[in-house]
Amino acid sequence: RDLHSFPTRRSSDLLGMPESQIYRLYPHLLKRKVDLQLEGDPTPAVEIYLTPHSHHPALTVRLTGPRNSIDEIEIHDHRFQDHAGIHVGSTFGQLRRAYSKLELAVGEGQYCIFREDAGLSFCLDLDSQTETALGETNGDVSKIPDSAPVKYILVIGKRSGHI
């Protein structure tokens, strides 16, 4: 949860806050309310864009906590990094060198390296051959190539599952 945040707050500081805090804390950032429909269920979220010309959100704040509070934050922008310098675009090899204890979590069609102690999941962009190898070996992370990039990072609230 050591990720640097957009303008002044660490992103993990937002966990548990009501949706209204997003608008109060960052009135100058562009925001769009969406429904992610994860696993076919309604999943309210707010996409946050850092510039008016951005085509993709820098952050997607999931409102799946009690009373639609912030429970998870997807980080899609490489400018956010953890204390070891891991960010979107880092590789699995960099992740493996930075951390000794890594667990594979699979859900919603994503393959993520989960760090329970930090409340972070690093979701990887894997090819179909690697995904098949992981399925055949019960998630043996040695099957993940060092070159596999981090696609997004998920900051996880206390009530969330792995991904």
Side-chain angles (χ1 to χ4, degrees), residues 24 46 70 80 94 102 113 121 161:
R24 280 192 214 113
V46 175
I70 300 168
F80 299 86
Q94 291 169 310
L102 300 174
I113 299 300
S121 283

Side-chain angles (χ1 to χ4, degrees), residues 107-122:
E108 300 166 6
Q110 301 296 315
Y111 291 82
C112 301
I113 299 300
F114 181 64
R115 292 204 47 239
E116 185 171 12
D117 59 327
L120 297 172
S121 283
F122 300 90

Side-chain angles (χ1 to χ4, degrees), residues 1-3 10-13 15 117-120 155-158:
R1 300 223 173 123
D2 302 312
L3 293 162
R10 288 191 348 217
S11 53
S12 60
D13 291 344
L15 296 173
D117 59 327
L120 297 172
V155 182
I156 303 166
K158 292 179 181 163

Side-chain angles (χ1 to χ4, degrees), residues 31-122:
K31 295 160 278 302
R32 182 173 70 137
K33 189 138 184 193
V34 296
D35 183 354
L36 301 175
Q37 283 289 314
L38 298 178
E39 295 185 357
D41 293 326
T43 310
V46 175
E47 294 178 334
I48 299 174
Y49 298 80
L50 298 183
T51 67
H53 306 293
S54 298
H55 295 288
H56 303 285
L59 303 166
T60 301
V61 179
R62 295 183 187 178
L63 305 170
T64 53
R67 297 179 310 283
N68 281 353
S69 62
I70 300 168
D71 196 39
E72 299 172 330
I73 302 168
E74 293 178 20
I75 299 173
H76 301 277
D77 192 291
H78 71 278
R79 291 174 280 194
F80 299 86
Q81 60 185 345
D82 71 0
H83 71 279
I86 303 297
H87 54 85
V88 171
S90 292
T91 65
F92 179 67
Q94 291 169 310
L95 194 58
R96 186 185 350 228
R97 287 187 292 280
Y99 301 110
S100 58
K101 186 179 178 192
L102 300 174
E103 299 175 44
L104 182 68
V106 181
E108 300 166 6
Q110 301 296 315
Y111 291 82
C112 301
I113 299 300
F114 181 64
R115 292 204 47 239
E116 185 171 12
D117 59 327
L120 297 172
S121 283
F122 300 90

Side-chain angles (χ1 to χ4, degrees), residues 123-134:
C123 300
L124 303 172
D125 189 6
L126 300 177
D127 59 38
S128 59
Q129 184 177 356
T130 302
E131 289 179 4
T132 300
L134 287 170

